Amino acid sequence: MTISPVSDEEMQQGTLSRADQRCRWRRRDRRSGSGNVLMLHGAGVAADMTWEPMLPHLTAWRTFLMPDLRGMGETRDPDGEERAFSLEQVVDDVAALLDTHDIPQCDVIGYSFGGLVAMRLKQRLGARIGRTMLLEPALLEREDHATMLRVRDGYADAAARIREAATPQAGIVAFLDLIAPHRSRNPRAERMMVTRLARRPLGFANALDCVTHAVRRLDREALLAAQRDVTSVVGGKSLAAMQAYHAELERRRADWTYRALPGTDHSLPFQKPRRLAALLQEAAVTS
């Protein structure tokens, strides 16, 4: 592991060298707050752009660990190539980071792809993972699993278009049409979303395929049964099927709280970071 201090003395960043991956991370340690939180970003975006706007408004925790997941940010294969990866490999990376940072127990916040990683991490590590906060998590887009499997074919097609076309834009827009069909069509907002997801297009495509493969193979009911003390947040403009499923999970389970974030879609961490942070703060102090 290499460590590089940055201007803020409470911030560190570094790289964990594994056999097949160089895992980049950021860590913030504060004098206030209590406990640890692991923050897992979504497909196609890095940790810093996802979480930095929210950090000033998150005061419940003392230590924040924010890795770049495989295919994204500054985490790369040792030779710099973009290779396919599995959910289990990503979970292995994150578990290794927890060990390296000597974090015996932590809460976890997972966005989209990171939400799926968070749930699998909880299933594997049990009580080592405390409160779980899921922001539009992959695998929980709709209750009907057969429908979700059919929809994933569209994500696989978007990933193929990102890889095969001269530019990744058409494939990225196809992904956005699936995950955020009611998003703002303002040209500036659309351009920002596409630019954000095009920073590592092949890594993004690999992450989409990673989720599709996991959706087809994972036992979702077993995964859900392993979760404890969950708060899920879905954008108010997101798919009605997703909102209904999360409301149903809250109805069925005493340890599941569902919150809608009005005026947002799947890009909720980028659209209303302060309001989203307030919901996470609430989950941290009331659960």
Side-chain angles (χ1 to χ4, degrees):
M1 178 176 65
T2 60
I3 299 177
S4 304
V6 292
S7 57
D8 184 344
E9 65 179 7
E10 297 177 333
M11 281 289 291
Q12 291 180 324
Q13 58 184 348
T15 303
L16 174 63
S17 294
R18 309 194 72 226
D20 66 338
Q21 202 72 188
R22 301 293 180 263
C23 302
R24 192 69 175 171
W25 54 265
R26 291 179 175 228
R27 174 172 172 162
R28 181 187 291 272
D29 291 285
R30 291 178 174 160
R31 297 179 180 87
S32 60
S34 63
N36 312 302
V37 63
L38 171 69
M39 307 177 77
L40 304 175
H41 61 78
V45 293
D48 58 350
M49 69 170 64
T50 304
W51 305 122
E52 286 294 334
M54 295 174 59
L55 286 181
H57 313 294
L58 291 173
T59 59
W61 296 276
R62 179 181 294 270
T63 295
F64 301 77
L65 182 61
M66 299 163 284
D68 285 342
L69 303 178
R70 288 196 183 212
M72 287 148 288
E74 297 180 47
T75 290
R76 295 186 177 273
D77 283 23
D79 61 4
E81 291 294 317
E82 297 281 17
R83 293 184 173 87
F85 51 85
S86 70
L87 175 63
E88 297 310 307
Q89 287 177 302
V90 178
V91 175
D92 286 343
D93 293 340
V94 175
L97 279 167
L98 291 177
D99 290 341
T100 300
H101 284 266
D102 194 24
I103 295 178
Q105 200 275 343
C106 66
D107 297 335
V108 61
I109 301 170
Y111 166 50
S112 192
F113 173 59
L116 175 58
V117 176
M119 289 189 287
R120 183 68 183 102
L121 194 70
K122 173 64 176 178
Q123 187 178 34
R124 185 189 292 187
L125 299 185
R128 188 172 180 184
I129 303 299
R131 293 166 294 209
T132 303
M133 285 143 278
L134 305 173
L135 317 178
E136 298 228 346
L139 197 68
L140 303 184
E141 292 102 334
R142 45 182 49 79
E143 183 171 11
D144 185 76
H145 194 61
T147 301
M148 190 169 64
L149 288 173
R150 289 195 298 271
V151 171
R152 289 311 309 184
D153 291 339
Y155 289 92
D157 178 67
R161 293 172 71 180
I162 290 169
R163 289 192 183 92
E164 296 166 6
T167 68
Q169 181 173 352
I172 291 172
V173 172
F175 162 78
L176 292 171
D177 288 344
L178 288 166
I179 200 68
H182 308 304
R183 69 189 184 278
S184 168
R185 301 290 174 156
N186 176 279
R188 181 175 178 273
E190 190 84 352
R191 186 168 57 251
M192 288 176 62
M193 284 187 287
V194 171
T195 300
R196 189 162 60 228
L197 293 170
R199 294 194 176 189
R200 282 181 63 181
L202 295 181
F204 177 40
N206 287 335
L208 293 180
D209 284 344
C210 173
V211 175
T212 296
H213 183 74
V215 166
R216 290 171 177 164
R217 296 180 63 88
L218 277 177
D219 182 335
R220 185 171 69 170
E221 294 310 310
L223 185 71
L224 283 170
Q227 308 307 307
R228 298 288 184 276
D229 197 2
V230 179
T231 296
S232 62
V233 184
V234 175
K237 295 167 64 177
S238 290
L239 294 167
M242 183 187 299
Q243 297 180 47
Y245 184 32
H246 285 254
E248 179 63 15
L249 286 168
E250 180 183 52
R251 189 191 67 79
R252 292 177 190 169
R253 297 181 50 152
D255 65 345
W256 194 292
T257 301
Y258 162 58
R259 294 287 182 264
L261 185 57
T264 65
D265 52 43
H266 189 69
S267 297
L268 68 176
F270 308 101
Q271 293 168 335
K272 293 192 176 181
R274 186 167 187 167
R275 180 63 186 131
L276 181 55
L279 292 178
L280 299 176
Q281 287 279 114
E282 179 185 344
V285 300
T286 61
S287 58

